[in-house]
Amino acid sequence: MKRLYTFFMAAALCLSSNAATPINVVNGISQELAVSRAAIVGNITYDLTFNIPASKTEAVKGNATITFIYKGGKTDLQLDFQGAPSQFDGLCIVNGKQIAVAWQDEHILIPRKALRRGKNIISMSFISGDKSLNRNADYLYTLFVPEHARSVFPCFDQPDLKALFRTRLNVPEGWETITSVSTERIPTYLFSFVAGKFSKQTQERNGRTFTALYRETDAKKVAQLDTVFDIADHSIRWFEDYTGIKYPFSSYGFVVLPGYQFGGMEHPGAIQFTDHEIFLGEHPTPEELQTRVELIAHETAHCWFGDDVTMRWFNDVWTKEVFANFLASKIAKQLFPDVNHDLNFLRMYQTRALSTDRTQGTHPIQQQLDNLNSAGLLYGNIIYQKSPVMMRKLEEQMGASRFRQGLQEYLNTYSYSNATWDELINILDRYAPEAHLKEFSEAWVKQKGMPTVTTQWNDGKLIITQSDPFKRGLTWQQSFLVDAIYINKVENDGAEQTRITTTTIPVDMQGVKKEIALAKRPDYIVPNADGSGYGLFVFDNFDNIPLPTDDLRRFALAMNMYENYLAHGIDAKSLSDTMHSWLKAENNALIASQLVSYWGGAVSAMPDTDRHFQEQQMWQEYRNATIASVKQRLIRQLYNTVSDESVTDSIYNVWADKSDPLLSKTDYTQIAYRLAILKPQQWQKILQKQRTRLSDADEIRQFDFISRACTPDVDEQQRLFNSLLKAENRRIEPWTASLLRLLNDRTREPLNNRYLQPALDALLDVQRTGDIFFPGKWLSALLSGHHSKEARQIVETFISQHPDYPDKLMNKIKENAYTLTR
């Protein structure tokens, strides 16, 4: 080890003194490095061999041969590779000659004198780091987004250096494998391989072969693969028709993984899905069925948007996500013709976008990014949920037909290449110059936040005004509806009756203020009446507001009411009472489910006495519910948050007898976790009984990991929390988040406030060692159960004492602390 260290230091000094210009070598992949390499490196092929042992304690070793065209440069060529010196022996074969190379700040430095203009071949052996191998007892899967390929093999780990990947996996006997495509060029973040003890199924649809690997053993769940293949086939054919471009890749395969940290990942030829969104319970809700369709359609959409045409730099990572979500919703519209898809769009995208955009942790859709080692912090509700809202507005601005034509030109122009958002906007702008898309993009894409919209009637006019909460003078171009409601008392056969009339007013908001003639003052003004607008729409009066008969308007009214509650326009009790009364009368399952969510959100903010009363009311609604999915949503809301003793006992009886056939095995396991916390005298008995109900080995491993948090022993709770501060104990991120959430259960406050400071202190390490969504999930699990003044003070003090904290990570803290600090 000492000899190797001395070699590296000497080589680094030699390189820095002899280079024509200073070597800019930093951890990660800086934008400066990426731009310079893209100008001089191209036509890359990786020939990779990985030797994967049966035991996860043994290292994965490999060999790489990298062939590329080199245009020449003034400094040594940086090849990306992370790890400790023991993972690389400091030797490469460059164009047939073995040479010593330096390894500095996660880069192998190839001497420029060893390279030549034109074709070059570099070969080396290496030991893969475990960070992105996701190794389990008898399987592994790689996940390299955004720049984790370099943790497993040496490469040019940036999205605009696409390459061919030829992969050989040497695996134990009996293991199945799958890799991403080898016949089309893809960036390193889309390369993937999976190996392990999987079952395999292959089916054909319309002349195309589909392959699936999975570990599920329940025959009823495995039978759902027929439906999954159908959805994938339908999605491919839909995108071929919409884009006018045939499926861009040579194969379509996927892997269904337990404990998977994402919903899915779009590696072409080897897509990855989480098992709980693919294999559903016996009584899936309409939301679960539609979520599965949109997940499969989303990952399939990436084959065109992201895999074929890829962003040039990760500041535009959202451009692939926006089309995947926006167009997946169009596919769901075909496959679920009886669903109100405008309503579902609000449920799937708008409500989730608002959950971040209303907070001080919001940010632009397109964010600045100096180094790919921070790219994981770009992900969240803004790029996944707000961007489809924006794209729907953009499509409205220019018209659906011209929008589609522009997308087709974009895909054809940049096929198997890279493009930026601005290059797309330039194309779309030519199709609809009157839409002023560059100005639209500036407000909606390049700036953070959303407008606050107010309406008032004055002197025969309806006056609509939008303002920028961050006082930058921005205007958001958008259209929406305003309903003016009039309540009249009329006589009918001597009896007084109430007559409600509504005037719907279209508003095309292209500036700060809009004035529309309206002769009579309305009794109620309902801005954003159908939810087609985006922002905080301030209501003057919700008291006794008539409930619309139209489904979309009812959902929009509830959504707008909840946003006004969070903006302190309505108190928690009024919102709770309203959501409860509306729920009693609601027969639309999607609306009813959202009402339950809003009701639960208000209840969580109440003092214990009022909270317990509301939980008892919620339990009665669960018992009386006639819509299956609403019944499921009510008890899920309750078992996750209940604190009332009588309701806890009622849930215990359901769990003990497994008396609700609508609940899945996962539901009963989640109930067991909370009951074990709420009934500490019985915690071991409850967990032991639930464990006997599990038969799948992966389920048991998950249960044994998470259920430890249910212990009433406060010293053991502390030891468990301390264990999570070590990266090696956080490797299965969904399980880690579940354990942390239970440790921070509301019923354990204020004792669990002791976790807040060290968990926040650990966040930088969590971000450094985890995958892209994990910092947000860590913070959600940590903070969502806390409601005390002490907890609020701890978080606010942390924020105030870290003015120079990485802004994207601080935004995650502010977003997840919203309900605690608002």
Side-chain angles (χ1 to χ4, degrees):
M1 184 68 73
K2 184 177 180 180
R3 181 196 66 79
L4 196 59
Y5 174 80
T6 303
F7 162 76
F8 282 137
M9 291 299 296
L13 289 171
C14 178
L15 285 166
S16 62
S17 62
N18 291 337
T21 56
I23 299 174
N24 182 22
V25 184
V26 298
N27 285 338
I29 298 98
S30 68
Q31 189 171 21
E32 176 187 30
L33 172 63
V35 170
S36 66
R37 281 197 309 207
I40 60 173
V41 174
N43 199 26
I44 305 165
T45 298
Y46 296 98
D47 287 284
L48 302 170
T49 299
F50 295 95
N51 301 304
I52 302 172
S55 171
K56 71 175 184 178
T57 61
E58 296 181 42
V60 172
K61 299 180 180 181
N63 298 283
T65 297
I66 308 171
T67 307
F68 59 97
I69 300 299
Y70 180 62
K71 296 181 180 178
K74 295 182 178 180
T75 62
D76 302 302
L77 183 64
Q78 296 184 36
L79 195 61
D80 310 322
F81 190 53
Q82 283 180 317
S86 61
Q87 291 179 279
F88 175 62
D89 62 10
L91 299 174
C92 291
I93 298 174
V94 181
N95 295 323
K97 296 180 180 180
Q98 181 170 291
I99 63 171
V101 296
W103 187 8
Q104 178 184 338
D105 293 324
E106 304 177 339
H107 300 283
I108 298 169
L109 305 181
I110 308 297
R112 63 191 179 96
K113 292 181 180 179
L115 299 170
R116 57 196 177 207
R117 291 181 180 272
K119 183 178 179 180
N120 288 260
I121 302 175
I122 299 174
S123 298
M124 67 194 75
S125 60
F126 58 87
I127 302 174
S128 297
D130 276 344
K131 176 179 179 179
S132 298
L133 288 175
N134 295 281
R135 300 183 74 180
N136 293 270
D138 55 2
Y139 71 98
L140 65 78
Y141 61 92
T142 66
L143 195 53
F144 294 150
V145 62
E147 37 66 73
H148 293 165
R150 64 196 175 99
S151 71
V152 172
F153 63 97
C155 58
F156 300 108
D157 206 1
Q158 61 189 74
D160 58 344
L161 286 180
K162 292 189 172 186
L164 291 176
F165 288 85
R166 298 167 181 161
T167 311
R168 179 179 178 180
L169 304 178
N170 296 320
V171 300
E173 186 176 353
W175 281 29
E176 293 283 355
T177 66
I178 192 170
T179 65
S180 38
V181 293
S182 60
T183 50
E184 293 85 20
R185 295 188 180 276
I186 58 174
T188 47
Y189 84 89
L190 288 175
F191 169 64
S192 177
F193 59 88
V194 176
K197 292 184 178 179
F198 289 91
S199 296
K200 182 177 182 179
Q201 193 171 138
T202 299
Q203 293 190 20
E204 286 196 9
R205 296 288 189 280
N206 293 294
R208 178 175 284 108
T209 299
F210 294 84
T211 301
L213 298 187
Y214 57 93
R215 289 175 61 84
E216 181 59 58
T217 57
D218 185 327
K220 291 182 179 179
K221 288 186 175 180
V222 172
Q224 297 176 35
L225 283 175
D226 289 343
T227 301
V228 175
F229 288 130
D230 288 342
I231 297 168
D233 174 62
H234 179 91
S235 298
I236 287 174
R237 288 184 288 111
W238 189 92
F239 279 109
E240 287 180 335
D241 176 68
Y242 184 85
T243 65
I245 298 172
K246 290 293 183 182
Y247 178 67
F249 297 99
S250 54
S251 64
Y252 190 107
F254 61 88
V255 187
V256 186
L257 293 160
Y260 190 58
Q261 52 266 62
F262 300 173
M265 182 60 202
E266 64 269 18
H267 315 113
I271 293 170
Q272 293 169 356
F273 292 121
T274 182
D275 61 346
H276 70 268
E277 291 189 10
I278 295 296
F279 296 128
L280 306 180
E282 286 191 52
H283 304 282
T285 66
E287 295 99 320
E288 289 170 336
L289 290 169
Q290 190 152 326
T291 295
R292 179 168 65 183
V293 165
E294 296 207 19
L295 171 61
I296 296 167
H298 175 109
E299 303 307 337
T300 306
H302 279 310
C303 295
W304 286 262
F305 297 94
D307 297 1
D308 182 8
V309 179
T310 307
M311 66 276 170
R312 186 163 290 125
W313 185 239
F314 260 88
N315 67 322
D316 273 334
V317 63
W318 67 276
T319 57
K320 69 186 183 70
E321 303 303 339
V322 64
F323 288 115
N325 270 345
F326 181 65
L327 297 176
S329 69
K330 293 180 182 288
I331 289 178
K333 192 172 185 177
Q334 278 192 346
L335 293 179
F336 292 87
D338 297 330
V339 170
N340 185 325
H341 288 277
D342 288 333
L343 186 158
N344 193 58
F345 190 91
L346 298 185
R347 182 186 69 86
M348 287 286 291
Y349 301 113
Q350 195 133 322
T351 58
R352 299 178 190 181
L354 291 168
S355 71
T356 296
D357 229 4
R358 70 170 81 102
T359 76
Q360 289 299 307
T362 191
H363 54 79
I365 293 175
Q366 184 188 67
Q367 302 175 69
Q368 181 179 344
L369 181 67
D370 297 325
N371 193 306
L372 287 185
N373 60 16
S374 297
L377 294 173
L378 303 179
Y379 290 79
N381 287 330
I382 296 299
I383 74 166
Y384 279 97
Q385 274 76 42
K386 183 180 179 180
S387 63
V389 174
M390 176 280 298
M391 197 60 75
R392 185 167 73 159
K393 291 296 179 190
L394 189 151
E395 186 183 52
E396 289 173 357
Q397 285 284 117
M398 64 181 301
S401 177
R402 290 185 293 177
F403 176 76
R404 181 178 176 183
Q405 288 177 302
L407 286 189
Q408 290 178 342
E409 180 180 331
Y410 163 77
L411 290 172
N412 278 293
T413 301
Y414 297 103
S415 183
Y416 298 111
S417 184
N418 301 79
T420 67
W421 167 249
D422 288 340
E423 287 167 333
L424 172 58
I425 281 293
N426 288 338
I427 290 173
L428 296 178
D429 191 54
R430 293 200 303 270
Y431 284 86
E434 77 286 354
H436 304 292
L437 295 184
K438 294 181 180 179
E439 292 88 342
F440 175 94
S441 173
E442 179 63 31
W444 281 94
V445 174
K446 301 191 176 186
Q447 301 293 333
K448 68 179 180 179
M450 61 184 184
T452 299
V453 181
T454 59
T455 55
Q456 64 174 346
W457 185 91
N458 185 38
D459 194 23
K461 293 179 182 177
L462 178 65
I463 303 170
I464 305 104
T465 306
Q466 67 166 307
S467 61
D468 176 3
F470 294 101
K471 304 187 186 305
R472 298 158 299 181
L474 288 179
T475 59
W476 287 261
Q477 300 160 266
Q478 61 174 321
S479 298
F480 51 85
L481 300 179
V482 174
D483 280 351
I485 300 177
Y486 300 91
I487 311 270
N488 298 303
K489 301 293 185 180
V490 297
E491 279 198 14
N492 186 8
D493 293 333
E496 187 177 75
Q497 294 182 339
T498 299
R499 177 177 296 167
I500 301 173
T501 57
T502 301
T503 299
T504 297
I505 304 158
V507 178
D508 184 15
M509 201 78 188
Q510 300 293 318
V512 173
K513 182 183 287 189
K514 187 85 171 180
E515 295 185 356
I516 299 171
L518 187 64
K520 185 180 178 183
R521 179 192 295 272
D523 293 287
Y524 294 95
I525 299 174
V526 183
N528 196 26
D530 65 346
S532 58
Y534 183 76
L536 172 61
F537 290 82
V538 179
F539 279 62
D540 289 333
N541 181 20
F542 278 109
D543 292 341
N544 299 313
I545 190 168
L547 197 56
T549 57
D550 175 72
D551 286 356
L552 182 60
R553 278 172 159 75
R554 286 202 308 283
F555 189 101
L557 183 58
M559 179 182 70
N560 289 324
M561 191 172 188
Y562 187 66
E563 292 304 313
N564 277 256
Y565 155 70
L566 292 173
H568 303 286
I570 312 168
D571 63 84
K573 185 178 185 307
S574 295
L575 180 68
S576 295
D577 291 344
T578 301
M579 295 297 104
H580 184 190
S581 64
W582 289 3
L583 179 64
K584 286 177 175 289
E586 187 55 63
N587 57 15
N588 182 300
L590 293 180
I591 300 174
S593 292
Q594 196 68 33
L595 295 177
V596 173
S597 178
Y598 290 153
W599 186 10
V603 170
S604 68
M606 292 182 170
D608 284 347
T609 301
D610 293 337
R611 177 183 172 87
H612 293 169
F613 174 76
Q614 292 287 339
E615 288 175 354
Q616 292 164 17
Q617 295 291 302
M618 199 171 287
W619 176 257
Q620 289 304 314
E621 291 306 319
Y622 161 72
R623 288 173 56 87
N624 298 331
T626 57
I627 302 174
S629 62
V630 175
K631 194 175 183 75
Q632 289 169 306
R633 187 65 179 264
L634 280 161
I635 196 167
R636 286 170 181 168
Q637 176 71 42
L638 281 168
Y639 73 59
N640 279 305
T641 60
V642 64
S643 59
D644 178 74
E645 187 174 353
S646 65
V647 177
T648 300
D649 288 341
S650 297
I651 293 174
Y652 178 88
N653 292 333
V654 170
W655 169 82
D657 299 334
K658 294 184 69 175
S659 58
D660 189 340
L662 296 176
L663 295 180
S664 66
K665 188 189 300 184
T666 300
D667 285 314
Y668 282 110
T669 298
Q670 295 297 323
I671 293 173
Y673 294 151
R674 288 240 57 228
L675 288 174
I677 291 174
L678 295 169
K679 293 180 175 290
Q681 300 302 319
Q682 303 177 56
W683 77 282
Q684 287 178 316
K685 181 180 177 181
I686 290 169
L687 295 178
Q688 287 168 2
K689 182 171 182 176
Q690 185 59 32
R691 195 179 191 276
T692 64
R693 295 172 171 178
L694 306 176
S695 57
D696 183 274
D698 290 330
E699 288 178 336
I700 293 172
R701 283 196 310 120
Q702 178 178 357
F703 182 86
D704 289 344
F705 183 93
I706 295 170
S707 63
R708 298 175 298 160
C710 301
T711 176
D713 185 329
V714 295
D715 291 333
E716 181 60 22
Q717 291 173 27
Q718 182 69 61
R719 283 191 289 271
L720 280 171
F721 172 77
N722 291 344
S723 74
L724 298 184
L725 300 180
K726 298 178 181 179
E728 61 266 28
N729 297 321
R730 303 191 296 257
R731 284 180 177 165
I732 304 183
E733 294 173 352
W735 299 3
T736 300
S738 295
L739 188 148
L740 184 62
R741 189 176 299 275
L742 291 173
L743 290 174
N744 286 276
D745 190 88
R746 178 173 181 155
T747 59
R748 289 174 162 174
E749 202 174 35
L751 185 64
N752 58 9
N753 287 342
R754 60 184 173 166
Y755 305 142
L756 292 172
Q757 182 71 45
L760 290 171
D761 289 339
L763 186 59
L764 286 168
D765 187 61
V766 168
Q767 186 267 326
R768 182 182 63 82
T769 60
D771 274 313
I772 56 179
F773 298 110
F774 192 47
K777 290 180 179 179
W778 174 268
L779 288 166
S780 175
L782 174 70
L783 299 176
S784 60
H786 290 273
H787 295 79
S788 67
K789 291 181 180 179
E790 179 190 5
R792 174 175 180 166
Q793 184 175 2
I794 292 169
V795 175
E796 289 180 338
T797 299
F798 182 90
I799 292 172
S800 66
Q801 290 180 346
H802 292 80
D804 298 323
Y805 204 73
D807 59 342
K808 293 178 179 62
L809 205 52
M810 181 59 77
N811 282 340
K812 298 287 185 187
I813 297 174
K814 292 177 178 177
E815 175 188 351
N816 284 281
Y818 174 74
T819 56
L820 182 61
T821 60
R822 74 178 181 92

